[in-house]
Amino acid sequence: MSFITSLSVFSLHLLLLLVGLFLNPVISDPRGETVAQMCNNRTMTPQQRSLVVTNFLAAMDAVSPLLEAKGYGQVVNGTGNLTVYAYGECMKDLDKKDCDLCFAQIKAKVPRCLPFQQITRGGRVFSDGCYVRYDEYNFFNETLSSQDLTNCSDKEITGVNRTLFRDNAEELVKFMSVEAVRHGGFYAGFVDRHNVTAHGLAQCWEPLTRGGCAECLTNASEQIDSCLGKEEGRALNAGCYMRFSTQKFYNNSGNYSTSDGSGGHNHLVVILTVTCSVVAFVLLVCAVCFLYRKTRAKKQRENKQLGSLLMLANKSNLCFSYENLEKATDYFSDKNKLGQGGSGSVFKGVLRNGKTIAVKRLFFHTKQWVDHFFNEVNLISQIDHKNLVKLLGCSITGPESLLVYEYIANKSLHDYLFVRQDVPPLDWAKRFKILLGTAEGMAYLHEESNLRIIHRDIKLSNILLEHDFTPRIADFGLARLFPGDKTHISTAIAGTRGYMAPEYVVRGKLTEKADVYSFGVLMIEVITRKRNNAFSQDASSIIHTVWSLYGTSNHVQVVDPVLGDNFNKMEASRLLEIGLLCVQAAFEQRPAMSAVVKMMRGNMEIPTPTQPPFLNPESVLEVRKMMSPTDSPMEDQSQSSGWRIDNISESFFEPR
Ligand SMILES: *[C@@H]1O[C@H](CO)[C@@H](O)[C@H](O)[C@H]1NC(C)=O
Ligand SMILES: *[C@@H]1O[C@H](CO)[C@@H](O)[C@H](O)[C@H]1NC(C)=O
Ligand SMILES: *[C@@H]1O[C@H](CO)[C@@H](O)[C@H](O)[C@H]1NC(C)=O
Ligand SMILES: *[C@@H]1O[C@H](CO)[C@@H](O)[C@H](O)[C@H]1NC(C)=O
Ligand SMILES: *[C@@H]1O[C@H](CO)[C@@H](O)[C@H](O)[C@H]1NC(C)=O
Ligand SMILES: *[C@@H]1O[C@H](CO)[C@@H](O)[C@H](O)[C@H]1NC(C)=O
Ligand SMILES: *[C@@H]1O[C@H](CO)[C@@H](O)[C@H](O)[C@H]1NC(C)=O
Ligand SMILES: *[C@@H]1O[C@H](CO)[C@@H](O)[C@H](O)[C@H]1NC(C)=O
Ligand SMILES: *[C@@H]1O[C@H](CO)[C@@H](O)[C@H](O)[C@H]1NC(C)=O
Ligand SMILES: CC(=O)N[C@H]1CO[C@H](CO)[C@@H](O)[C@@H]1O
């Protein structure tokens, strides 16, 4: 009878648990923020390096599914001194979804340890929800190492009685170091005395023996003592993790409250024990599985939640899986192709969460640059300006490198001006807005962002337009991504015919002023709606037309005839003058982009421009022989043409 009663009470609890689960579909916190990252700096040769990177990627890829299946995973890949050992584990209070999410976050951080110039053979990342490490030796049951850290918060205790919290935390820490060992290497709970609560969690990594766990946590509890008095402290050891805090940061999704500790531990209220958490976990998993299968509606709901979790993962780290991007772009199908640039082709894609993205498939084999590439992507992705296309992340683990950008709806300025017949011509106000926005974006890249990026390929097709014609500069930062890549730099001496500053073409001298030149060309093109072809036979490029009219009253006759009289003559004249300033042959005299912005806004006087680079017809013929006569961007043919900059005499571009 009493068995039946307790069974029904149990069922009731189960039911309540399930109801609670579905009334309350909270996305919990995966605690994936990095707490500490440690990189080894043992060295190796460049030849070894690329092999180690390959093994590293294989090992990391193999850890994830193990972790998903059982909460931790250890993998060995490679042989001899190229072997990579990899390990990942989640804190045991995280549920499966949070665990996956947490690991996705820190896994993305670990490549930063990989060698670029300095060659490292090991690294660890700790977050409060999970842990990852790779190294060149079998560290799986290592308890302590010289890299272990204690991380104390710098916040002094406020709001509660400091002495009382200190005492409670001290007691908790000692208690945890014993209890976790007794309970399979995990403990989370609190000490609550005199209305002051200290929360804590301790966990040993799975491969450790009981003795190893005790050794590690004893060390941790002693190390963490130095943090008492602060709001929070963490011990980050090779074999274990321990944290105390004024906040309840762990997950005990049930009522496991025991007595107030009148037994062995005075005044100690212990709530979460490992048995309970295992039972709870099993129940949760069963419940989820049960309902997941039972009803389709709920399954969809679950999927939706997963989608938003994925989005969260995508937002919080830069790594996209190759498979997801492949699916998003329908396996890079031609119908999704948006365009072809100097460094790769671009595809439109839709992620599972519905977000539209642009995926750039790079021509370059960048696996050997993986760490550098990742770092740069990370840096560039932090650049955020209203006139720049945001880089969302990359994929480095697949067979080719991919960059993921936000998707801009309205196509490029080039399409707008020269290709599309179905759109009304851009009016003057829009052209002004586009030029000013472009200048602002460039000023940001050159002068305001702490990376000081030279774009190197400013041209009409790299200016994308939003619905309201806000311009967004695409493809910036590529020069940073491939610094040592000789083939890329020299085939292109990137940039596009007609936009390249003479000192850059002739001497390969690349400064911000080369971008300013390109901007000047673009400005004149937008105003006149004529392409600038620096290599046209009669040497009467649009720049020279504008230059020859400069100072005459006919100055504005070059403005796009489609505008008729519907434009501001003063403004047009000013912009043409600024355009000429930007394309001056002497690069020192070209204005900085911030000055261009000021002049465009009328906040700065416009100096008198000097002559643009002038073309000598003989040299033009010579160059024309070397280059194919199409109008498409140079880099598209340069790979096969073997065009060499050195052949062109310097006088070619000097003013007459
Ligand atoms: C300690 O952790 C905080 C984040 O909680 C981090 O900002 C800080 O850099 C860490 N300190 C050390 C020495 O790792
Ligand atoms: C790693 O670098 C740190 C300083 O950056 C140095 O103190 C330490 O000795 C180096 N360790 C090894 C193994 O080279
Ligand atoms: C390393 O990973 C690769 C790629 O996944 C796999 O083919 C290989 O068998 C692995 N090697 C070892 C020793 O596990
Ligand atoms: C790694 O092993 C190879 C061959 O087994 C050897 O030539 C090389 O010197 C070793 N490198 C190191 C750093 O031990
Ligand atoms: C760790 O594991 C290795 C082999 O896997 C074993 O030889 C060693 O004794 C273990 N160490 C500890 C401290 O358990
Ligand atoms: C904190 O508690 C201790 C012990 O109860 C007491 O002696 C002390 O005065 C309290 N401090 C404050 C600031 O309340
Ligand atoms: C704890 O707080 C309650 C009310 O919040 C108060 O009645 C009680 O006296 C407090 N106990 C101690 C030991 O401070
Ligand atoms: C804990 O381990 C570290 C690293 O081995 C060591 O430097 C430290 O002295 C140890 N602390 C204690 C209290 O054993
Ligand atoms: C936990 O359960 C006990 C007894 O079942 C109850 O007295 C207590 O209020 C519950 N605590 C919470 C936080 O629900
Ligand atoms: C799965 C699980 O237990 N999630 C819980 C984690 O903790 C947060 C906050 O305490 C809860 O909202 C989640 O339900």
Side-chain angles (χ1 to χ4, degrees), residues 72 74 87 89 139-142 204-210:
Y72 72 96
Q74 60 188 59
Y87 187 79
E89 180 164 341
F139 59 84
F140 295 142
N141 59 8
E142 192 172 74
C204 291
W205 309 140
E206 204 67 40
L208 260 64
T209 58
R210 202 180 154 114

Side-chain angles (χ1 to χ4, degrees), residues 43-45 48 79-82 121 136:
T43 54
M44 57 187 155
T45 63
Q48 277 179 320
T79 54
N81 56 17
L82 302 175
R121 293 247 12 210
E136 60 184 335

Side-chain angles (χ1 to χ4, degrees), residues 550 577-578 580-581 584 589 591 595 599 604-610:
Y550 174 68
E577 238 176 290
I578 299 169
L580 285 175
L581 271 181
Q584 291 175 104
Q589 290 180 26
M599 290 182 227
M604 187 172 163
E605 218 164 287
I606 303 172
T608 310
T610 59

Side-chain angles (χ1 to χ4, degrees), residues 345-363:
S345 35
V346 183
F347 295 82
K348 179 178 174 175
V350 182
L351 291 175
R352 262 193 287 175
N353 61 25
K355 188 182 166 80
T356 311
I357 50 168
V359 181
K360 182 157 203 166
R361 202 178 190 184
L362 296 171
F363 291 148

Side-chain angles (χ1 to χ4, degrees), residues 80-141:
N81 56 17
L82 302 175
T83 310
V84 172
Y85 296 81
Y87 187 79
E89 180 164 341
C90 286
M91 300 306 163
K92 293 188 180 177
D93 64 321
L94 282 193
D95 68 10
K96 194 171 139 23
K97 241 185 271 169
D98 280 343
C99 172
D100 296 353
L101 203 53
C102 181
F103 194 67
Q105 262 172 283
I106 64 167
K107 194 175 118 176
K109 307 277 168 57
V110 111
R112 294 183 203 177
C113 265
L114 275 173
F116 175 44
Q117 273 144 0
Q118 175 138 29
I119 291 163
T120 74
R121 293 247 12 210
R124 309 178 218 178
V125 179
F126 280 91
S127 85
D128 285 323
C130 52
Y131 166 72
V132 64
R133 176 173 179 185
Y134 76 96
D135 221 317
E136 60 184 335
Y137 67 96
N138 184 337
F139 59 84
F140 295 142
N141 59 8

